[in-house]
Amino acid sequence: MKREMIYEGKAKKVYKTEDKDKYIVEYKDDATAFNGKKKGTIVGKGVVNNKMSAAMFMLLEEKGIPTHMIELINDRESLVKAVEILPIEVIVRNVAAGSLAKRLGLEEGTVMDKTVLEFCYKNDDLGDPMINEYHIAALNLASEEQLKEVRKYAFNINEVLMNYFQERGIRLIDFKLEFGLYKGEVILADEISPDTCRLWDAKSNKKLDKDRFRRDLGQVEETYQEVLKRIQ
Ligand code: UDP
């Protein structure tokens, strides 16, 4: 049973339930990019992201990675564990793209010799600045042990997802994760969707993710549906 809304973000709303340990997440069609400067709607996105996240979290659970997922409720809503989100965005990169390509002067699509892990401070007013492990410790954003778990899970998740997408003709270029604390344990939270991953078609390298919206590449809605079709 949905109780009061406790949070409304750019793409999701979070509601309390009658159980203090469970929240309901509702996915919206609203899309933003460039720290909220670009706004729009991607019709059907909320349904795709809800269903895809549920499928990804269930897959990860099967592989031994704890997540906040409890169950899919309907097209747009999922029941999740009530976590306290660590204010850190964890970015995993296999191929240079987006801000990394720009920052390091690499052509987008350059395959890197090693997977890169980055952290950003989750703070909209500051535009989610990149930080390192010293900043995390200095600002007390996570403990040393929590960060160790985050790092381990991030690389494990990358392995699982890369294989999974590869079998579906998709290259996993990069993605963003958020973790939360549930009864003192670090677990994966937030979402895994075309909003938070760069996914390229394995044959054509066509972008199958939010870059279609960010960069006005067209066929935005169709692409979200295509990704869902490939994973179902
Ligand atoms: N990302 C995200 N939310 C953010 C920033 C990045 O989900 O607030 C994802 C993005 O979709 C991509 C990866 O993290 O899959 C790396 O993004 P990047 O740092 O290149 O930033 P962008 O180019 O999106 O500004």
Side-chain angles (χ1 to χ4, degrees), residues 89 91 93 98-99 128 174-176 195-198 214:
E89 293 191 344
I91 296 176
R93 302 177 179 273
S99 68
D128 300 340
D174 60 29
F175 57 99
K176 186 259 307 178
D195 274 13
T196 63
C197 303
R198 282 198 172 89
R214 292 190 191 102

Side-chain angles (χ1 to χ4, degrees), residues 10 33-35 89-93 96-101 103 108 118 120 122 124 127-128 130 172-178 190-191 193-199 209-211 214-215:
K10 285 167 266 191
F34 312 118
N35 200 21
E89 293 191 344
V90 180
I91 296 176
V92 182
R93 302 177 179 273
S99 68
L100 175 132
R103 189 166 5 99
E108 196 162 68
E118 289 175 358
C120 292
K122 236 175 101 66
D124 279 340
D128 300 340
M130 185 153 66
L172 179 61
I173 304 302
D174 60 29
F175 57 99
K176 186 259 307 178
L177 301 169
E178 293 184 23
D190 194 47
E191 66 178 286
S193 71
D195 274 13
T196 63
C197 303
R198 282 198 172 89
L199 306 167
D209 55 58
K210 196 175 163 190
D211 274 347
R214 292 190 191 102
R215 303 179 188 187

Side-chain angles (χ1 to χ4, degrees), residues 157-224:
I157 292 166
N158 188 42
E159 286 302 312
V160 172
L161 294 185
M162 273 219 287
N163 288 327
Y164 179 86
F165 285 120
Q166 196 174 24
E167 287 165 6
R168 286 153 182 85
I170 294 173
R171 296 174 72 200
L172 179 61
I173 304 302
D174 60 29
F175 57 99
K176 186 259 307 178
L177 301 169
E178 293 184 23
F179 293 86
L181 297 179
Y182 182 72
K183 300 184 195 281
E185 296 297 318
V186 173
I187 67 174
L188 181 65
D190 194 47
E191 66 178 286
I192 298 178
S193 71
D195 274 13
T196 63
C197 303
R198 282 198 172 89
L199 306 167
W200 294 1
D201 180 78
K203 281 207 187 102
S204 66
N205 278 329
K206 181 180 172 186
K207 294 180 183 9
L208 304 174
D209 55 58
K210 196 175 163 190
D211 274 347
R212 301 209 73 82
F213 168 78
R214 292 190 191 102
R215 303 179 188 187
D216 295 318
L217 300 177
Q219 296 179 302
V220 184
E221 271 102 3
E222 296 87 329
T223 300
Y224 274 75

Side-chain angles (χ1 to χ4, degrees), residues 9 66 69 113-114 119 136 171 220 227:
M69 190 68 198
D113 289 342
K114 222 172 170 286
F119 300 107
I136 293 173
R171 296 174 72 200
V220 184
V227 172

